[in-house]
Amino acid sequence: QKEVEQNSGPLSVPEGAIASLNCTYSDRVSQSFFWYRQYSGKSPELIMSIYSNGDKEDGRFTAQLNKASQYVSLLIRDSQPSDSATYLCAVKTGNQFYFGTGTSLTVIP
Amino acid sequence: GAVVSQHPSWVICKSGTSVKIECRSLDFQATTMFWYRQFPKQSLMLMATSNEGSKATYEQGVEKDKFLINHASLTLSTLTVTSAHPEDSSFYICSARPVGTDYYGTDTQYFGPGTRLTVL
């Protein structure tokens, strides 16, 4: 079983809509969770980190964590074409970071 | 803040040669640096974890004699791909964890821009 699982997509949403990205993880003791954005040919860029159950908002981005269900999600409000990228979910367990395979998002103008 | 650089950004070399990639944290010190490899349309694959002043920890399946890692200071780690072959062609990305962020609630890692290696 993979440590971190994401739907590979592609996920397409119209401009202005809400994009919802989901991630599940296998290890209950995982405590730190991250979302990265990666444009094609570029390295990942940190968008959000979340450590406690509930929602964390930063601008148009909201991360949601539910440790009991072992999932973490990312909502992007008012999606823009510039949000088109691959979004990587990362989970830190112990001293190790585990990455999902990423979800490809396309925002259609 | 939290800028990580890599050099070179791209390199083309002949089969059998060795290539050194540098990873530097520019505005912070990093006790731990990570090296990843990413093939086209695939996710990041952790190759090794590098701690300043000690030997790197390699992931299963990664040849430590082929991918030499040196983390001599708190701001610099190097990856040397020895006797490179075409199958080593990939996008190599480093990341760095700032000193003092190894505990819950602050831990994160910042990525360098990557080095694209092509072995002919």
Side-chain angles (χ1 to χ4, degrees), chain B residues 68-108:
Chain B
L68 301 178
I69 291 173
N70 184 284
H71 191 162
S73 76
L74 289 173
T75 59
L76 172 65
S77 177
T78 61
L79 168 68
T80 301
V81 183
T82 62
S83 187
H85 291 283
E87 57 266 29
D88 298 322
S89 299
S90 187
F91 191 41
Y92 290 86
I93 309 172
C94 75
S95 70
R97 178 192 292 167
V99 169
T101 64
D102 294 348
Y103 52 93
Y104 173 73
T106 66
D107 49 6
T108 190

Side-chain angles (χ1 to χ4, degrees), chain A residues 6 31 50 70 77 84 96-97:
Chain A
Q6 295 180 253
Q31 290 191 305
I50 186 167
Q70 294 176 236
R77 290 183 300 282
S84 298
Q96 277 280 50
F97 287 86

Side-chain angles (χ1 to χ4, degrees), chain A residues 31-32 34 36 38 41-44 46 51-52 67 88 92 95-97 99-102, chain B residues 34 36 38 43-44 46 49 59 91 93 97 102 104-109 111-113 116:
Chain A
Q31 290 191 305
S32 306
F34 309 89
Y36 288 85
Q38 186 176 25
K42 302 294 184 182
S43 66
L46 180 66
Y51 305 93
S52 304
K67 291 186 178 181
L88 302 172
K92 182 168 179 275
N95 231 12
Q96 277 280 50
F97 287 86
F99 283 83
T101 53
Chain B
F34 304 89
Y36 295 86
Q38 187 175 37
S43 188
L44 298 172
L46 179 65
T49 301
E59 294 300 300
F91 191 41
I93 309 172
R97 178 192 292 167
D102 294 348
Y104 173 73
T106 66
D107 49 6
T108 190
Q109 53 180 313
F111 285 89
R116 192 162 301 283

